[in-house]
Structures are given as C-alpha cells and as structure tokens.
C-alpha cells in the first residue's frame, strides 16, 4: 500500500525566492562629504554593504541610506580612509544585526555592538536584528507596578512605574550623567543597558568608574558611540542599545534602558538627512529626525513578558525646554524630569526641579496616601517659591499667611528630602516614611 507524505514546501520556496545566486558587485563613483555614491548594485534601504579597500584586512562596512539617478547612496559604518573611486562594493543581503546574550553582562560595546575591550568571544550568543518594530500596542501589558530608583526626589514626588519611559531634561554640566549613575546603581531592574551616544570619549571611562561603579557595572551592558564616530555609527548605537534591551525583555526580564543622549542621536540623524539632500526644517533639523524619534522611543516600555523602563536624557540648548527636540521628546514619553542650573549652582543635587517635572503614571501606580502627601509637599514648594523674594528681603511678616508660614517652617525639611549624595541609597519604603514624617511635622 502506497503511503503519501505531504511536505510543506512554502518555507523553502521563500528562501529560494530571497536567495541571491549571483551577487552584483558595484563600484564607488564618488565621495561627497559623508556620502558614498555607488554604481552597479541592487540593494534596499538599510542593507549593509562591504567596500573592499586594498591593503586593508577587513572591508569597510556601509549602509544604504538613499538613491539618486540610478546610483545608491551609502554612509560608512567606519572610517572613509583608504576608499577611492572604483573600490568594489558587495551587498551582504541583510540589515545590521547584533550578537546578544548573557555573556554581555559587565561589557562595553561600540556603536555597532562589537566589543571595545576585546575581553570576550563575540561568536557566542545569537544574532538579533537592530531595526525592529515597536511592540503591538494592543499586546503591551499595562503599567501597574512601582519601580524604585533609590533616588528620594524621584520615588517620593515623581514615582516611576515598571515599563515607563522618562525623559531627563537639562543643559550641559547640570548632572544628567550623575543621576543616571545613581539610578543604575540603586535601581531594582534585572539588567541595565546604557547607551552613551555622541558623548566625549573622556566621559566614557569616567562614567563607568565614578557614576556607575563596580556594583552598577556588574549588571550593566554599555554601548558607547563617542562624538568622534561617524554619524551613522552614533545613530546605530542608540538602536543597538535598544535592541539589546529588547532581547532581555523578551526573555521575561525587567530591563532598565538609559540613553545619554537623545539630542546627540537627533544631531546624528540630522547629519545623515542633510547629506542625503533633505531640506533643513525646524532649527536646521530635517523632517526625518522627527519621524525617527518615535520609532526609537516607542520600542521601549512593556512587552508581553518582560519590561523596559527607559530613561532618556535630553540636552536642551541654552537651557530652553521648548527647543524642537526637547518638545518632540516630551510629547512622546510618559513623563519628564527637569534639572535646572539654578539648583545646581546652589549645590542642590540632584538638581531636580520637581515643580517643572511630572510622572504621568504616578496617579495610576501610587497609593492614595502617597499621592496626597506628595501633593501637599508640591503645594508647599510652590508656595515658598512664589513668596521667596519677599522672604529673602525680609518683607514678609510672619503670621500674615498661614500657608506661607507652613512653607517657611518646612522648607529645610523639604530640601533635606530632595537632596541626596550620589553614593547615598534610599529604599522605597524608607523614602515614603520620610515623606509621611515631613507632611506630619
């Protein structure tokens, strides 16, 4: 008796259709600024190509970013040094991937996900695509759990939830990196993924040793794309950090993603957009910058299993919180923490201005008692700030306004609650007890 066995050939048909039996080899025709013009290849947007350079052991990698007059426009994922007209260009047939796994704990990677310090074998782990889509909004779990950060000002008045996305807005030198280091050391996430995008090379080791420390480094993965790197490497660094965080989230872990800074990411995309020929729009930023920001920021948050709680720093030009990038990012994220130069100048660290800051999820995750106490403290802080000039020059007469009297009486205690040394840790329950004691005094 003949037995017929049915075999599903559809997966194999797909592979055959996608396979490239003959790889077309193109050549570099000209280089203009950061852009390579290549003739003779068929490659899609985002595809990685290898440029063969004579005398170099490894090819230069480049990514297709546009087309012009039947030519492909590529931007390098490395140095342009050594490239000349006629260099062979070979499409790889795939987009950029990064090798991920638990072997990355405590390691430092470059903007393309390669080890900087060569202390581990990058052949282990599994490849993960860098350009992923954000999770389906209908399949995201709701945020209903508090995530303690160990920072009193945040836990008491700007409570964060597990899976929330927060922006840290500040000018240069106000303490963004220090605050990130405090959260990384004291936070309760399973793993930290930290993206240092467009930062000074000097600051990388400084951040690792001083801000993060050995205890923070042990459960952290660092992606560093410094300011001297090509624009596309800085751009990819942000996506590589997000991809690593997504991998661990899909494993069911609670991930803390920190990125310093989104502004440098936007500047890198502006460089790419201007090189391709996009028109400059708001303050010189090209339209693609504002289209790319939500594609990056929406990838973090809750998943079906794990979560990515994200802190993104935004460097505001001239301390202007309404500049284009700050305004766009604030509209996408679930809250913002504002650091001010005035508080930093008064030696108040972390320099968080709680009256300008907000956590959009605090009303949903904090207890009623906690919300009431936080509201009282905010009210007292606002009252003191409104009357500060009168108080300082001695024009206010005690007893004239009971609300101002209460604000004056509790001002030192409120400052004591909000101030915290970088090495100091405050547990969530301990913070809530201090808040309750402050309100009850």
């Amino acid at each position: 008796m003949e037995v017929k066995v049915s075999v599903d050939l559809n997966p194999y048909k797909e592979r055959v259709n996608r396979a490239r039996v003959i790889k077309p080899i193109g050549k570099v025709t000209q280089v203009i600024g950061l852009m390579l013009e290549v003739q003779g290849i068929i490659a899609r947007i985002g595809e990685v190509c290898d440029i063969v350079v004579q005398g170099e052991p490894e090819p230069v990698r480049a990514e297709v970013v546009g087309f012009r007059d039947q030519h492909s426009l590529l931007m390098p994922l490395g140095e342009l040094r050594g490239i000349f007209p006629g260099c062979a260009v070979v499409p790889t047939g795939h987009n950029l991937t990064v090798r991920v796994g638990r072997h990355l704990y405590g390691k430092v990677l470059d903007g393309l996900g390669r080890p900087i310090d060569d202390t581990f074998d990058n052949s282990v782990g599994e490849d993960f695509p860098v350009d992923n889509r954000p999770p389906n909004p209908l399949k995201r779990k709701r945020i209903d759990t508090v995530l303690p950060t160990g920072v009193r000002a945040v836990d008491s008045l700007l409570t964060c939830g597990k899976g929330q996305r927060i922006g840290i807005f500040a000018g240069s030198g106000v303490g963004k990196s220090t605050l990130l280091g405090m959260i990384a050391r004291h936070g309760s996430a399973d793993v930290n993924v930290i993206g240092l995008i467009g930062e000074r090379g000097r600051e990388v080791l400084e951040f690792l040793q001083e801000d993060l420390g050995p205890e923070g480094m042990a459960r952290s993965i660092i992606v560093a794309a410094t300011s001297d790197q090509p624009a596309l490497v800085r751009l990819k660094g942000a996506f590589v950090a997000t991809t690593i965080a997504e991998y661990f989230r899909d494993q069911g872990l609670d991930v803390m993603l920190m990125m310093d800074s989104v502004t440098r990411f936007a500047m890198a995309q502006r460089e790419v957009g201007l090189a391709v020929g996009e028109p400059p729009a708001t303050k010189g930023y090209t339209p693609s910058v504002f289209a790319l920001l939500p594609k990056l920021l929406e990838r973090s948050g809750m998943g079906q299993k794990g979560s990515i709680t994200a802190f993104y720093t935004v460097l505001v030009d001239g301390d202007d919180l309404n500049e284009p990038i700050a305004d766009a990012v604030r509209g996408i994220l679930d809250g913002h923490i504002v650091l001010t130069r005035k508080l930093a100048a008064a030696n108040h660290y972390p320099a968080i201005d709680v009256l300008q800051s907000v956590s959009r999820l605090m009303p949903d995750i904090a207890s009623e008692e906690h919300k009431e106490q936080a509201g009282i403290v905010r009210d007292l802080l606002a009252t003191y700030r409104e009357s500060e000039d009168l108080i300082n020059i001695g024009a206010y007469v005690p007893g004239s306004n009971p609300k101002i009297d209460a604000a004056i009486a509790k001002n030192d205690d409120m400052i004591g609650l909000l101030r915290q040394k970088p090495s100091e840790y405050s547990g969530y329950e301990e913070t809530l007890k201090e808040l309750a004691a402050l309100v009850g005094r």
Side-chain angles (χ1 to χ4, degrees):
M1 181 179 176
E2 186 178 348
V3 179
K4 291 184 179 181
V5 179
S6 61
V7 179
D8 183 11
L9 298 176
N10 287 329
Y12 302 100
K13 288 179 181 177
E14 271 186 36
R15 289 188 185 182
V16 170
N17 290 335
R18 289 201 308 265
R20 293 185 176 181
V21 182
I22 301 175
K23 283 189 176 181
I25 298 177
K27 64 179 181 179
V28 176
T29 56
Q30 63 175 336
V31 178
I32 304 174
L34 302 172
M35 192 66 59
L36 294 163
E37 195 170 280
V38 176
Q39 182 182 18
I41 63 170
I42 301 173
R44 60 186 182 274
I45 292 285
E47 186 170 336
V48 176
C49 299
D50 289 333
I51 303 171
V52 181
V53 181
Q54 290 183 358
E56 295 292 335
E58 296 290 331
V60 175
R61 306 183 83 192
E63 183 178 294
V64 179
V65 294
F67 307 99
R68 182 189 297 146
D69 300 330
Q70 306 300 314
H71 289 70
S72 299
L73 303 178
L74 279 65
M75 288 199 76
L77 293 166
E79 295 292 335
L80 282 172
R81 191 182 299 114
I83 293 176
F84 59 88
C87 276
V89 180
V90 183
T92 62
H94 59 77
N95 290 17
L96 186 67
T97 60
V98 61
R99 192 165 284 274
V100 291
R102 291 179 182 265
H103 66 286
L104 296 180
Y105 280 27
K107 305 301 181 184
V108 183
L109 313 177
D110 68 5
L112 302 180
R114 301 171 301 196
I116 288 181
D117 50 4
D118 297 323
T119 57
F120 66 95
D121 181 8
N122 202 35
S123 63
V124 299
E126 56 182 294
D127 284 329
F128 215 62
V130 169
D131 297 319
N132 295 317
R133 295 179 183 273
N136 186 327
L138 298 180
K139 294 183 179 179
R140 288 182 186 262
K141 292 188 294 185
R142 290 195 62 180
I143 298 171
D144 55 8
T145 308
V146 171
L147 181 82
T149 63
V151 181
R152 281 195 300 268
V154 176
D155 289 343
S156 60
L157 304 183
L158 304 166
T159 310
C160 298
K162 193 179 290 184
Q164 188 172 352
R165 301 162 305 158
I166 304 282
I168 300 175
F169 294 75
S172 56
V174 183
K176 299 185 301 297
S177 298
T178 304
L179 179 58
L180 282 186
M182 290 174 69
I183 296 171
R185 280 199 308 273
H186 305 317
S188 58
D190 297 320
V191 58
N192 302 317
V193 181
I194 303 170
L196 302 176
I197 311 301
E199 293 301 305
R200 305 174 188 90
R202 168 186 68 81
E203 291 183 334
V204 175
L205 192 60
E206 190 177 291
F207 178 83
L208 299 183
Q209 294 181 349
E210 294 186 14
D211 296 332
L212 198 55
E215 67 272 24
M217 190 65 189
R219 56 192 180 94
S220 299
I221 301 165
I222 316 298
V223 178
T226 52
S227 57
D228 61 301
Q229 296 292 312
L232 204 57
V233 175
R234 282 177 271 139
L235 202 64
K236 291 300 179 186
F239 287 112
V240 165
T242 305
T243 299
I244 295 171
E246 287 174 325
Y247 169 81
F248 287 108
R249 177 185 64 188
D250 293 346
Q251 303 292 314
L253 300 179
D254 293 319
V255 184
M256 182 83 76
L257 171 64
M258 301 176 184
M259 195 169 294
D260 188 12
S261 70
V262 174
T263 308
R264 311 283 192 200
F265 167 83
M267 288 177 176
Q269 177 58 29
R270 177 173 64 184
E271 285 183 46
V272 173
L274 291 173
V276 174
E278 275 191 271
T282 313
K283 279 200 172 181
Y285 288 102
T286 57
S288 64
V289 173
F290 301 99
L292 199 62
L293 280 173
K295 290 183 180 178
L296 172 71
L297 302 178
E298 286 289 347
R299 285 172 61 175
S300 55
M302 294 296 292
Q304 291 184 355
K305 292 189 288 184
S307 67
I308 300 176
T309 306
F311 287 86
Y312 299 98
T313 68
V314 181
L315 180 64
V316 291
D317 291 335
D319 295 337
D320 178 16
L321 292 172
N322 295 317
E323 60 97 22
I325 299 302
D327 208 34
V329 171
R330 192 165 51 240
I332 299 169
L333 299 179
D334 307 320
H336 51 273
I337 297 171
V338 177
L339 307 184
T340 63
R341 201 171 296 279
K342 181 180 178 181
L343 287 173
N347 198 35
H348 180 119
Y349 289 103
I352 299 173
D353 187 338
V354 294
L355 296 181
Q356 290 193 66
S357 308
V358 66
S359 170
R360 294 180 181 173
L361 288 170
M362 183 176 176
D364 299 331
I365 58 177
S367 66
E368 292 299 323
E369 185 182 14
H370 182 184
K371 286 185 286 185
E372 183 181 348
Q373 292 167 351
I376 292 171
V377 172
R378 278 179 169 272
D379 194 23
L380 291 171
L381 284 169
T383 301
Y384 188 88
R385 183 171 296 182
E386 287 173 5
S387 312
E388 192 170 10
D389 291 339
L390 291 175
I391 296 166
N392 288 339
I393 64 174
Y396 174 72
V397 179
S400 303
N401 186 322
K403 203 170 180 182
I404 297 177
D405 292 338
I408 294 172
K410 295 191 176 183
N411 185 57
D412 289 342
D413 292 332
M414 290 189 293
I415 291 175
L417 176 71
L418 300 178
R419 266 184 178 168
Q420 188 173 344
K421 294 178 182 178
S423 58
E424 185 183 350
Y425 170 72
S426 181
Y428 185 67
E429 295 301 325
E430 180 187 344
T431 297
L432 293 188
K433 286 179 183 177
E434 287 191 39
L435 178 65
L438 170 63
V439 172
R441 283 174 189 152

